[in-house]
Amino acid sequence: MEKEPVSNPPGVAPSERPPGKAQRTRAKLIEATCDELSESGSFTAERVAKRAGTSVATFYVHLPTKEVALVAVFERVMGELVSVVDQYLKVERLLESGLEALMGEFVEASVDFFSERMLVMRAGLAALPESRELRQVYREHEGMAFERFSRFISLGQSAGQIRSGRVEELARTFLVLSQGLNNPLLFDPEARASLPGHLSGVLTGWLKKEG
């Protein structure tokens, strides 16, 4: 007898189904790989499997090569970075806090992120020239970030809080400047005490409305 297809519970879309065991296991392995890279700058299947509470064989089922594992981790971390942009570059926060305070919060949050994920970012960026998959992940997430910078600039201009100018040009400049926050100089405790404040001041001065 032919089996009837399994239907979703009423009101639940396919994308809202709880992840299956295989998805949960893969997510756990990616998280463990990310933690290994963040702590030591490298990873092995044995160390990741032990951290995730699985076998080395299971690791290779889900992440068959080192490149596949690195791509998965880099995609996760780039998603986290886009989330930082999403959280802070909102016109509502701009209107509530003002440009100077918001830039201070954004710079601090970005430096916190890059400091925590420094070794993962370093590994991913170093492998970009040899990996088409990594380059694709990077381009996709850079595009996502650019959309958010553009929206922030456009809405900020409409609200009278951001300088005039071509949105695309300003957004691209803002994106490049924010990428500069991934600088080891900012991770030194002594520099960390003063540099973010100077950098947020530069952003504020550049973005603020003329006059």
Side-chain angles (χ1 to χ4, degrees):
M1 178 183 291
E2 186 178 348
K3 292 183 179 179
E4 293 184 5
V6 177
S7 60
N8 298 309
V12 178
S15 60
E16 295 174 345
R17 288 186 210 161
K21 183 179 179 181
Q23 291 173 292
R24 293 195 300 271
T25 299
R26 188 174 192 275
K28 200 173 185 180
L29 285 164
I30 292 171
E31 181 179 3
T33 306
C34 190
D35 290 342
E36 279 290 327
L37 260 176
S38 295
E39 291 176 12
S40 66
S42 66
F43 67 92
T44 65
E46 291 77 13
R47 296 205 316 261
V48 171
K50 182 178 180 181
R51 184 186 284 264
T54 64
S55 67
V56 173
T58 299
F59 174 91
Y60 284 117
V61 166
H62 294 278
L63 304 170
T65 68
K66 186 173 183 178
E67 182 183 1
V68 169
L70 182 57
V71 169
V73 169
F74 193 59
E75 184 171 22
R76 172 191 168 120
V77 169
M78 289 296 290
E80 293 174 355
L81 179 55
V82 172
S83 293
V84 172
V85 178
D86 252 338
Q87 181 179 352
Y88 287 91
L89 296 190
K90 293 182 179 295
V91 72
E92 295 84 1
R93 293 188 73 144
L94 173 62
L95 295 174
E96 180 180 338
S97 303
L99 183 61
E100 183 176 2
L102 181 57
M103 288 302 99
E105 293 170 357
F106 174 67
V107 168
E108 286 289 347
S110 298
V111 173
D112 283 343
F113 167 82
F114 286 125
S115 179
E116 181 181 355
R117 296 306 195 191
M118 169 180 58
L119 296 179
V120 179
M121 294 295 294
R122 184 180 297 171
L125 293 174
L128 280 182
E130 292 80 35
S131 173
R132 180 178 60 83
E133 289 78 10
L134 280 171
R135 291 195 298 274
Q136 182 177 345
V137 167
Y138 185 83
R139 285 194 296 267
E140 286 177 355
H141 286 79
E142 187 177 53
M144 293 178 199
F146 178 70
E147 288 176 4
R148 287 151 177 81
F149 280 105
S150 297
R151 183 178 64 219
F152 176 75
I153 294 291
S154 178
L155 293 176
Q157 287 178 333
S158 297
Q161 302 296 310
I162 300 291
R163 60 179 291 183
S164 60
R166 290 181 59 241
V167 170
E168 182 177 348
E169 182 178 311
L170 292 174
R172 200 167 299 281
T173 303
F174 196 178
L175 173 62
V176 172
L177 290 173
S178 71
Q179 289 171 335
L181 298 174
N182 184 23
N183 189 308
L185 288 174
L186 286 164
F187 310 147
D188 175 74
E190 186 175 343
R192 181 69 192 269
S194 58
L195 273 181
H198 294 316
L199 292 169
S200 63
V202 169
L203 284 174
T204 301
W206 171 67
L207 282 171
K208 69 180 180 181
K209 188 176 180 181
E210 301 88 341

